[in-house]
Amino acid sequence: MQNKPVEVPSYLRLIILVEILLPVLLLVLGVYHGMLQTLYRAGIIKSSSFLGLDYYQGLTLHGVVNAIVFTTLFAVAFGRALVLYSLGEPSKSAAWISFILMMVGTVVAAIAMLAGKATVLYTFYPPLQAHPAFYIGATLLVVGSWVAFFSWVPVYLKWRREHPGVKTPLAIVGVFSTFIVWFTATVPLAVEILFLILPWSFGWVDGINVTLSRILFWFFGHPLVYFWLLPAYTMYYAMLPKLAGGKLYSDRAGRFIFMVFIFLSAPLGLHHQYSDPSISAVWKWIHGIFTLGVAVPSFITAFTIAASLEYAAHLKGGKGLFAWWFKLPYFDSKNYLFGYFFCGLLLFLVGGVTGIINSSLSMNGVVHNTSWVPGHFHTTLGGPTYLAFTGMTLFLVTSLTGKKLAFPRLNVLVPYFWLFGTSVFCWAMSTGGLSGQPRRTNMGLTYTNPESPLYQADWVWTAHMSAVAGVIMFISFAMYFLVVIATLMKRSTEPKMLEFPIAEPLHDEPAGAFTNFTPWLVTSVVFLVIAYAPPLMTFSDGTFENSKRFSPDSPVPAPVEKKP
Amino acid sequence: MDRSEKMAIWFAVLLMLSFAGALVYAFFGLNIRFPGCVTDRTPFTKGKVIQRGVGEYEVQYVAKMWAFEPAELEIPVGSKVDIYLSSIDVNHGFQIKFTNVNLMAVPGAVNYAQITFDKPGDYPLVCHEYCGAGHQNMMGMIRVKPRESSLSGAVPESDVGIEQPKAEGLPTVNEAGMALLNAKGCTACHSLDGTRMVGPSLKGVFGREEELEDGSKVVVDEAYILESIKNPMAKIVKGYPKVMVPMPMTEQEIKQLVEIVKGIR
Amino acid sequence: MGWFACLGLAVQTAGAWANTPFPPNQEKTLGNSLPDVHFTDDSGKPFLLSELRGKPLFLNPIFASCKHTCSPIIQNLKKALPDGAKLGVDYNLLTFSFDPKDDVARMRTLREQHGLAAEWKLAVGNKDDVRRLLESLDFRYMTLEEDGFAHSNFVVAADHDQKIRFYLLGVSQEPGMFARALEAAQGKGQWKEQLRIILFFVSLAGLLACSWFIMHVRSRAHAKRLAA
């Protein structure tokens, strides 16, 4: 069942292009400041700010732009393109509404951050308080994404009715599970922002329960990472085998893992809060055990994708236990997506293992909040997610604009530079983290500054190594950005048709239990209630007061309007 | 499903089950765990060191922007310390370098860890959760003294946190002055009435002679106050921790603060 | 057997919704002997903890000025005392203070306040001895600014040889828990505990098997429907 190339209506073409190109523009700032952070931390910049941006302000931008804006806008755009390609055209007004909401939200939040009024980092833990515009911007971005997703559901249901007995395209299963996970995640976020933070941020309520807001944030924060990962998995299952020149080893494995993520991505957020007080120790541990469960689909993905690659390599004459790895199109400049996807897979091998370590309660105390943690997530969010998203952005740009890719031989090297830089970065940050080096800290002012009485000499060399890595990663991004700009500046020469390289399955089995989403949605709700009801009911046994608002610049609580 | 796929699934499941088994053993057998709920009553708002017996201490740490209280702790080697931790403003981290003590200081809740210091040395205490502009300055110290040191094992309670009787008399700073002292965070660490806090009290500080950590003496004049605001780490009074961070402020505000400090009797 | 005990603790802890701050590390303490302690009871008579050997012993650490959990613990203990066994004859119950500031008079007041039987022992002890006893029980506490302590809430059952056998965690107990503790302290009924552990895991396995079976049957029926 091969799909035909699809013509994209011009309004949708505009919406998708803006949704994937605006983040690339914002990434200039986001990746630039990532590199700058490594320079600050190494003590190469010994200052609280550089060129007008304060370290922590830049860190907030880095987190929000790279992890929230870029990922959400891309995922929605990718979903729009896939839904159009495989199912049909969703509501035009919903597309515009969602687009405008997300754009306005992004701009509003960006202004708040650039103005220095939201230096609270992307986790925005109360009682650090940002300007209400920051929270409102985030809300609009999320609601916009909801509108887009909800507009795809009727298209999907119509398609199912019109194609009884036909398996839903695997890429659609991937996209829908992505957004089901996203909706599961953003409901507690909405509760936190609308009911806890905004009233407190506006001054209508004097105090906020910090523990509750943290529980709600990490109820959002963990499924968030699967929102980041699943679009990459969608591309790995549905497209990578074809790009390699073969077929998908097991179609059913793909459907299985997407359904498992629906119910296992959220009921385990407490593993981000192991060292938080006033949360039951036993429930923290139970969340840790559940997290081991959500590692299983990733193992299955690793096997299935490797098996698909092996099949493709065999078609090209690859033989033996390992020698077939050499038969894959790593540096084929006409098939650059393969390199982008493959480098992401390699990084995720490290990312997955360090993730299992982090979620093991007994080991978490060694690594919590040290630089080990960014070492981990730059090989996951900064690995498969970043590479698949940026690669696919190029693909969508060239398809939708009809322009040929510029500098293809430079472009094929981009993911390998990134792979090298990020590997060094992960190694340096992990090593530093194991010696206690803290994350989210402007170490250049004190810990890596020999003039400072707080100087920690043993943290210096790993900080220097991560600076080297940061520069390499920035070079990779600069190369990528050059390719994007140069491509956009070309004249349109190809037909503007959208065709995804969808892989055929090698073993085409019936979808069985994975045909419909409903039983998995029900399972998801059951697991969420089991996992989160006890901590939410008992956290107040260990909290004794609500907290006032604090600005990042002053230890004095923000004044409350005096009553006459 | 062919054989390879079945084997792959079994491998993944069995591997995760073995990790789960290890976690069961670690949690229930080795008792490696983080605390759950400690109390729902306001426990403490000031740092305190309580000696319960020889080599047994209860230390109540307050994490605040941007210091730990008690900022420095001296204990003999072999001491068993019950650490209680809370925050009086925003979220902070608490990590004792070279150990596995790694906690969050969350306002409105108390955290706990117990540690026995078997090796003498200096253990930095680092905040690893972003807590504002001074986050990178937030480091405390635990000095574990070797057996032969002059520390007899009986550590007096730290002066930090003990209230001294408040001075009588009307405040010598007007409302606008207080507002500025509060807004710039001065009062978070310096009292106006003689109480020793993280930093020296500002009561009558102008004209006073202070001893610095290197033993030299300095008279607190306008120049010293100006330097202490702009470059606080330059000349620290003996016995106080080096935790003050320069606060962002305009030249005019600095001039006003100097005048205000001069006037605190 | 250590592994089995682990799992048993897992079951017991997971089921213990009656949480106590600072849950004791039972893996470390169960089976250990209690150290000897110089006590003085609330009538002023000195005695040693070791003199109470020969019968099961329940230990209840409190402090006299406690306004929050100690009173409910004592009240609940009073109510939970089993009818079958006699206090002072079949087992001993010792409520002692861990607060160095408490004295004999305060314990006397406590007895009057709660209306405790004469056989219920109340005592204060030598500071260092008591600390060693608390360590053996893994009882922890935090000094509160406003006076008083936040502390573990549990009652420990030791056997006739003063080896720790059972913990009653929390402020109140389910009915029958005290009887279970007494049985453990008497060295009886260990099979019941092991049966409980086995039953829990069998039910868990059964639940998982049923879920898998339902999924399997459903998917096969679904496949059949599609083929038809």
Side-chain angles (χ1 to χ4, degrees):
Chain A
M1 192 203 65
Q2 283 287 49
N3 293 59
K4 305 183 312 293
V6 155
E7 192 171 334
V8 182
S10 55
Y11 78 91
L12 201 51
R13 197 177 324 132
L14 173 70
I15 287 177
I16 294 176
L17 281 172
V18 173
E19 280 174 354
I20 55 178
L21 287 172
L22 175 64
V24 172
L25 191 62
L26 291 174
L27 273 181
V28 174
L29 189 57
V31 179
Y32 156 77
H33 207 269
M35 176 182 68
L36 236 55
Q37 276 152 234
T38 60
L39 297 178
Y40 279 101
R41 287 172 59 89
I44 296 167
I45 302 177
K46 292 191 188 64
S47 169
S48 61
S49 72
F50 186 74
L51 292 184
L53 268 182
D54 166 71
Y55 177 87
Y56 296 110
Q57 178 188 24
L59 183 56
T60 306
L61 275 164
H62 179 77
V64 173
V65 163
N66 296 10
I68 304 285
V69 174
F70 165 59
T71 52
T72 308
L73 288 178
F74 174 83
V76 170
F78 181 56
R80 291 191 209 279
L82 266 176
V83 166
L84 179 75
Y85 179 70
S86 301
L87 299 179
E89 189 184 333
S91 147
K92 180 170 172 174
S93 46
W96 276 115
I97 292 173
S98 62
F99 174 70
I100 291 171
L101 281 173
M102 291 198 293
M103 288 299 126
V104 170
T106 302
V107 167
V108 165
I111 291 176
M113 288 187 283
L114 287 168
K117 295 221 179 295
T119 303
V120 290
L121 309 195
Y122 101 96
T123 44
F124 57 85
Y125 293 136
L128 276 176
Q129 186 205 23
H131 190 277
F134 176 75
Y135 304 114
I136 291 172
T139 309
L140 291 177
L141 178 69
V142 167
V143 172
S145 68
W146 286 356
V147 170
F149 173 50
F150 293 152
S151 75
W152 304 335
V153 173
V155 185
Y156 163 75
L157 291 174
K158 179 159 172 276
W159 189 93
R160 291 293 306 273
R161 275 196 307 272
E162 289 172 356
H163 297 83
V166 183
K167 277 193 292 185
T168 313
L170 184 57
I172 294 296
V173 177
V175 163
F176 271 64
S177 63
T178 303
F179 278 86
I180 291 171
V181 167
W182 176 240
F183 186 70
T184 313
T186 44
V187 166
L189 181 73
V191 170
E192 186 199 354
I193 292 185
L194 293 175
F195 294 107
L196 288 179
I197 293 189
L198 275 176
W200 169 79
S201 168
F202 276 122
W204 305 333
V205 166
D206 199 27
I208 188 170
N209 188 304
V210 176
T211 300
L212 178 60
S213 63
R214 289 172 65 88
I215 296 178
L216 288 172
F217 183 83
W218 287 112
F219 193 157
F220 154 76
H222 196 77
L224 172 67
V225 321
Y226 296 109
F227 173 67
W228 295 336
L229 189 62
L230 290 181
Y233 275 10
T234 305
M235 294 184 232
Y236 289 167
Y237 277 96
M239 303 179 200
L240 178 58
K242 176 130 188 211
L243 295 169
K247 297 187 177 174
L248 174 63
Y249 174 80
S250 167
D251 172 83
R252 194 149 71 153
R255 290 167 201 276
F256 167 69
I257 66 117
F258 286 125
M259 297 306 178
V260 171
F261 277 117
I262 286 178
F263 73 89
L264 266 188
S265 54
L268 31 80
L270 288 184
H271 69 239
H272 294 268
Q273 298 183 268
Y274 282 146
S275 56
D276 274 30
S278 79
I279 297 175
S280 154
V282 170
W283 283 98
K284 287 177 186 171
W285 178 84
I286 290 176
H287 280 224
I289 299 291
F290 280 169
T291 314
L292 292 179
V294 81
V296 170
S298 288
F299 274 97
I300 293 175
T301 301
F303 169 78
T304 309
I305 301 302
S308 310
L309 293 178
E310 184 174 5
Y311 175 78
H314 279 174
L315 287 179
K316 295 200 171 100
K319 291 193 207 317
L321 201 54
F322 296 111
W324 58 267
W325 283 104
F326 291 101
K327 290 286 181 191
L328 294 170
Y330 301 111
F331 295 105
D332 180 355
S333 59
K334 289 193 206 47
N335 190 1
Y336 59 89
L337 270 181
F338 181 86
Y340 275 81
F341 290 172
F342 186 74
C343 293
L345 275 171
L346 285 183
L347 285 170
F348 195 64
L349 288 176
V350 177
V353 168
T354 51
I356 294 176
I357 293 173
N358 294 353
S359 67
S360 300
L361 185 148
S362 339
M363 292 193 273
N364 185 267
V366 179
V367 300
H368 172 64
N369 263 2
T370 62
S371 51
W372 166 285
V373 178
H376 157 73
F377 64 71
H378 281 80
T379 52
T380 52
L381 170 61
T385 304
Y386 170 77
L387 286 172
F389 285 25
T390 47
M392 180 54 59
T393 295
L394 273 178
F395 179 86
L396 286 172
V397 165
T398 50
S399 301
L400 293 174
T401 59
K403 300 182 191 211
K404 273 180 126 162
L405 190 73
F407 302 126
R409 277 185 302 227
L410 181 71
N411 179 44
V412 88
L413 295 176
V414 164
Y416 294 96
F417 266 79
W418 185 264
L419 169 67
F420 178 56
T422 307
S423 305
V424 175
F425 181 78
C426 174
W427 164 73
M429 294 291 270
S430 302
T431 311
L434 289 176
S435 65
Q437 192 181 83
R439 64 181 290 207
R440 298 179 146 182
T441 307
N442 185 358
M443 301 200 300
L445 280 176
T446 51
Y447 299 122
T448 51
N449 177 1
E451 314 278 316
S452 165
L454 306 184
Y455 181 61
Q456 303 291 315
D458 56 336
W459 291 347
V460 173
W461 74 273
T462 49
H464 280 142
M465 288 308 298
S466 31
V468 170
V471 171
I472 299 173
M473 290 159 83
F474 182 72
I475 290 173
S476 165
F477 175 75
M479 286 160 55
Y480 172 79
F481 190 67
L482 176 65
V483 169
V484 171
I485 296 295
T487 304
L488 285 173
M489 290 193 332
K490 282 189 151 189
R491 228 176 281 126
S492 173
T493 53
E494 311 294 303
K496 295 177 189 165
M497 300 292 270
L498 179 64
E499 182 176 17
F500 286 107
I502 303 287
E504 266 176 51
L506 179 63
H507 297 117
D508 195 1
E509 299 139 309
F514 316 121
T515 313
N516 295 317
F517 288 105
T518 318
W520 306 100
L521 291 170
V522 172
T523 314
S524 172
V525 172
V526 170
F527 267 77
L528 285 174
V529 170
I530 293 175
Y532 265 101
L536 284 172
M537 290 193 306
T538 57
F539 77 89
S540 57
D541 291 344
T543 59
F544 49 84
E545 67 185 11
N546 290 338
S547 299
K548 302 202 187 301
R549 293 165 287 157
F550 286 88
S551 127
D553 293 316
S554 166
V556 180
V560 184
E561 293 73 59
K562 292 203 201 314
K563 300 202 173 51
Chain B
M1 243 204 292
D2 71 12
R3 227 186 94 229
S4 313
E5 198 175 9
K6 279 208 186 93
M7 276 171 50
I9 295 176
W10 272 114
F11 170 76
V13 171
L14 287 174
L15 185 66
M16 292 302 111
L17 278 177
S18 69
F19 289 168
L23 286 182
V24 169
Y25 178 61
F27 192 77
F28 294 99
L30 300 175
N31 213 61
I32 301 173
R33 50 173 88 187
F34 292 98
C37 306
V38 170
T39 180
D40 58 354
R41 298 149 62 201
T42 307
F44 50 85
T45 50
K46 294 200 161 49
K48 217 182 207 174
V49 180
I50 298 168
Q51 181 164 18
R52 293 196 186 148
V54 173
E56 265 187 58
Y57 297 88
E58 176 184 334
V59 182
Q60 301 183 346
Y61 273 102
V62 165
K64 51 197 266 186
M65 293 155 101
W66 292 287
F68 291 104
E69 213 180 81
E72 295 210 1
L73 179 68
E74 268 191 20
I75 47 177
V77 69
S79 296
K80 183 172 78 162
V81 186
D82 271 329
I83 293 175
Y84 296 96
L85 174 68
S86 186
S87 163
I88 54 171
D89 38 50
V90 299
N91 292 299
H92 294 277
F94 183 99
Q95 188 189 33
I96 306 180
K97 200 174 165 190
F98 310 122
T99 72
N100 286 336
V101 174
N102 189 339
L103 301 172
M104 296 300 285
V106 173
V110 179
N111 218 332
Y112 167 72
Q114 187 185 80
I115 175 168
T116 304
F117 287 95
D118 291 320
K119 290 212 230 356
D122 286 348
Y123 293 76
L125 177 54
V126 172
C127 171
H128 54 33
E129 181 61 60
Y130 169 65
C131 51
H135 170 55
Q136 63 278 341
N137 291 66
M138 190 163 162
M139 188 182 103
M141 186 63 81
I142 297 177
R143 299 191 199 279
V144 179
K145 294 295 180 195
R147 225 167 277 287
E148 320 81 53
S149 81
S150 59
L151 212 55
S152 63
V155 172
E157 275 183 46
S158 160
D159 284 346
V160 175
I162 292 193
E163 301 274 356
Q164 279 151 21
K166 291 209 188 319
E168 303 299 324
L170 295 166
T172 50
V173 183
N174 65 14
E175 221 180 284
M178 277 309 294
L180 187 60
L181 285 172
N182 282 336
K184 294 302 163 190
C186 315
T187 46
C189 301
H190 297 278
S191 74
L192 302 185
D193 60 8
T195 311
R196 182 197 164 117
M197 294 170 74
V198 181
S201 175
L202 297 176
K203 179 177 154 77
V205 71
F206 188 63
R208 194 159 71 200
E209 190 185 67
E210 298 279 18
E211 186 182 346
L212 301 177
E213 347 158 70
D214 58 6
S216 64
K217 301 234 197 297
V218 72
V219 173
V220 177
D221 56 6
E222 262 193 46
Y224 179 75
I225 299 176
L226 195 66
E227 185 184 41
S228 299
I229 295 176
K230 288 193 172 177
N231 186 8
M233 301 267 202
K235 296 198 182 78
I236 301 279
V237 173
K238 189 169 181 166
Y240 288 92
K242 297 181 198 52
V243 294
M244 178 168 162
V245 51
M247 294 292 281
M249 51 181 105
T250 64
E251 282 302 316
Q252 201 201 17
E253 285 169 334
I254 297 180
K255 280 209 198 81
Q256 286 172 328
L257 280 173
V258 172
E259 287 307 308
I260 292 169
V261 172
K262 275 164 70 174
I264 304 177
R265 307 258 174 270
Chain C
M1 255 354 239
W3 241 102
F4 204 66
C6 244
L7 291 173
L9 280 174
V11 175
Q12 192 195 40
T13 314
W17 286 73
N19 254 319
T20 161
F22 318 114
N25 179 1
Q26 297 187 43
E27 183 69 19
K28 195 177 75 165
T29 57
L30 283 176
N32 288 353
S33 295
L34 300 175
D36 208 359
V37 179
H38 290 86
F39 277 119
T40 308
D41 73 15
D42 62 319
S43 65
K45 194 169 87 92
F47 69 98
L48 288 170
L49 182 61
S50 49
E51 289 170 29
L52 297 176
R53 279 203 155 141
K55 288 198 200 77
L57 169 65
F58 287 85
L59 286 165
N60 169 220
I62 53 106
F63 68 101
S65 49
C66 179
K67 293 184 207 63
H68 293 262
T69 53
C70 305
S71 291
I73 291 180
I74 295 178
Q75 284 300 316
N76 288 327
L77 263 181
K78 251 176 92 175
K79 281 187 249 166
L81 295 184
D83 299 320
K86 264 202 85 184
L87 168 62
V89 173
D90 299 308
Y91 63 93
N92 276 320
L93 181 40
L94 169 59
T95 294
F96 68 94
S97 169
F98 64 86
D99 184 357
K101 292 206 288 288
D102 278 344
D103 55 18
V104 165
R106 286 198 193 172
M107 301 308 277
R108 234 196 328 263
T109 317
L110 199 67
R111 182 188 288 283
E112 284 155 20
Q113 252 180 320
H114 288 281
L116 302 175
E119 295 82 7
W120 188 318
K121 299 197 191 308
L122 272 71
V124 293
N126 168 283
K127 208 170 94 169
D128 293 313
D129 287 353
V130 167
R131 266 203 347 271
R132 241 172 285 133
L133 177 60
L134 295 178
E135 165 97 28
S136 73
L137 300 175
D138 201 17
F139 178 91
R140 300 171 201 222
Y141 62 95
M142 169 176 68
T143 313
L144 294 172
E145 205 168 60
E146 62 185 52
D147 209 22
F149 306 91
H151 56 86
S152 309
N153 296 318
F154 56 68
V155 174
V156 179
D159 63 17
H160 61 278
D161 234 347
Q162 293 195 336
K163 285 202 171 61
I164 300 171
R165 289 294 169 204
F166 200 90
Y167 278 81
L168 290 159
L169 298 172
V171 170
S172 63
Q173 306 299 326
E174 287 164 25
M177 278 304 265
F178 193 92
R180 249 174 87 186
L182 183 56
E183 258 190 354
Q186 288 168 332
K188 296 197 289 225
Q190 269 158 331
W191 61 273
K192 275 199 222 154
E193 294 298 322
Q194 295 185 335
L195 185 63
R196 272 196 191 90
I197 298 169
I198 293 172
L199 267 176
F200 175 80
F201 282 104
V202 165
S203 335
L204 185 63
L207 178 67
L208 291 172
C210 285
S211 321
W212 177 85
F213 182 71
I214 292 173
M215 298 283 312
H216 189 70
V217 164
R218 275 202 77 230
S219 70
R220 267 223 297 239
H222 188 83
K224 269 210 198 91
R225 234 180 307 135
L226 282 179

